[in-house]
Amino acid sequence: MHIFENITDTKEHILELKNKGMSIGFVPTMGALHPGHISLIRQAHKENDIVAASIFVNPIQFNNQEDLKKYPRTPEKDFYMLESAGCDIVFYPTAVEMYPEKVNVVYDFGILDKVMEGKFRPGHFNGVAIVVKKLFDITLPDKAYFGEKDFQQLAIIKALVKKENIPVAIVPCPTIRESDGLAMSSRNERLNEEERAIAPVIYNTLLEIREKIKKEPIPEILSWATEKINNQPGMTVEYIEIVNSDTLLPVRVFDTNIPTRACLAAFLGQVRLIDNLGLDMN
Ligand code: AMP
């Protein structure tokens, strides 16, 4: 496995492989890898000749500097996990390599970056779009893999690719969970023992929403879910929404024929957790 810190070397290496007719599957990450990330690597390995991953904690997508500072960094362990899963190339740049000067690009994603995460993390998706565009320019992927765990991010990336005419297929990958249902996340490591025991309530609530939506009105379900989570010690809901999976606009009345998703964000102590679940197809 090749590890590159420099943009030019990475691009040269990838161009050489592409000129030999090899396809590139790309998995962008912020490191502190867990089996959720590795599932993306394995999927990319199945569908491409070469798998490239990036590890970069992107400063411009953090609107909370404390969160950026506390973000876990475990590069040696990450390299080992990537190599074991069949990754061929890791791009591991510094912030100066990625942003030698201030970036002023402002994307317009319409409603997609204004709702849910966008409402509570202003500028976050603009930072994500800037870094992903840059990473695509460097790694020139045929296919790029993103987790449904970050459902709104996936919608933003699809919109970015369309807007910028980037010739890459975006492949959504299912959320990988702990055995008790908690969605795997690098942030889970920051939960203490009590918080970790409570955390599965998020997924359980989403599962219950999926049952309730068949028979109860949406506003009632949302109040019930908010109360259920807020009643847990140390837990506060930031948002719970039931949205159209394509437009991310709130759904007022459930229709099994329209792709629908329940999305939620909640603080558990100091740790902000997000999760989502498709409601329509089951
Ligand atoms: P991150 O390192 O958090 O930026 O995540 C990198 C990629 O891994 C993103 O596409 C995430 O959606 C994806 N990812 C993170 N956690 C999971 C999970 N539990 N299951 C599947 N994909 C995930």
Side-chain angles (χ1 to χ4, degrees), residues 5-174:
E5 294 184 7
N6 169 290
I7 292 177
T8 318
D9 294 348
T10 314
K11 203 161 173 173
E12 255 178 38
H13 182 73
I14 288 183
L15 272 173
E16 228 171 83
L17 297 166
K18 286 196 75 115
N19 286 338
K20 287 185 192 152
M22 292 176 142
S23 62
I24 311 288
F26 175 53
V27 181
T29 82
M30 297 208 297
L33 302 184
H34 51 64
H37 298 109
I38 296 305
S39 71
L40 273 54
I41 299 284
R42 291 195 196 284
Q43 186 70 24
H45 189 58
K46 270 189 222 151
E47 298 179 358
N48 301 275
D49 300 318
I50 297 290
V51 179
S54 60
I55 299 178
F56 180 57
V57 183
N58 178 31
I60 66 165
Q61 74 184 66
F62 283 79
N63 51 329
N64 176 337
Q65 289 310 299
E66 214 29 45
D67 196 22
L68 171 62
K69 237 178 16 199
K70 283 194 186 143
Y71 203 85
R73 289 163 171 87
T74 56
E76 294 307 323
K77 184 176 162 220
D78 294 347
F79 296 150
Y80 176 77
M81 287 172 77
L82 288 171
E83 185 155 31
S84 311
C87 182
D88 302 288
I89 298 167
V90 186
F91 179 50
Y92 178 54
T94 60
V96 176
E97 180 70 10
M98 287 297 275
Y99 305 118
E101 48 202 65
K102 201 170 179 319
V103 216
N104 292 314
V105 183
V106 180
Y107 285 105
D108 179 3
F109 292 113
I111 198 77
L112 291 182
D113 67 343
K114 312 286 183 301
V115 294
M116 300 194 288
E117 290 297 290
K119 214 181 326 176
F120 290 94
R121 303 182 71 187
H124 167 68
F125 286 122
N126 202 57
V128 169
I130 289 169
V131 80
V132 170
K133 167 77 169 70
K134 235 172 144 58
L135 290 169
F136 283 173
D137 287 345
I138 297 163
T139 59
L140 306 169
D142 297 280
K143 293 184 176 181
Y145 297 78
F146 290 85
E148 286 181 342
K149 159 79 171 33
D150 299 283
F151 193 75
Q152 193 170 2
Q153 171 171 281
L154 193 50
I156 296 284
I157 302 300
K158 286 180 188 161
L160 171 73
V161 162
K162 209 165 166 189
K163 196 185 264 298
E164 298 289 316
N165 294 309
I166 307 172
V168 58
I170 301 303
V171 183
C173 301

Side-chain angles (χ1 to χ4, degrees), residues 263-277:
C263 302
L264 83 76
F267 273 97
L268 183 45
Q270 300 294 311
V271 185
R272 187 174 184 278
L273 299 173
I274 61 169
D275 202 349
N276 65 84
L277 189 69

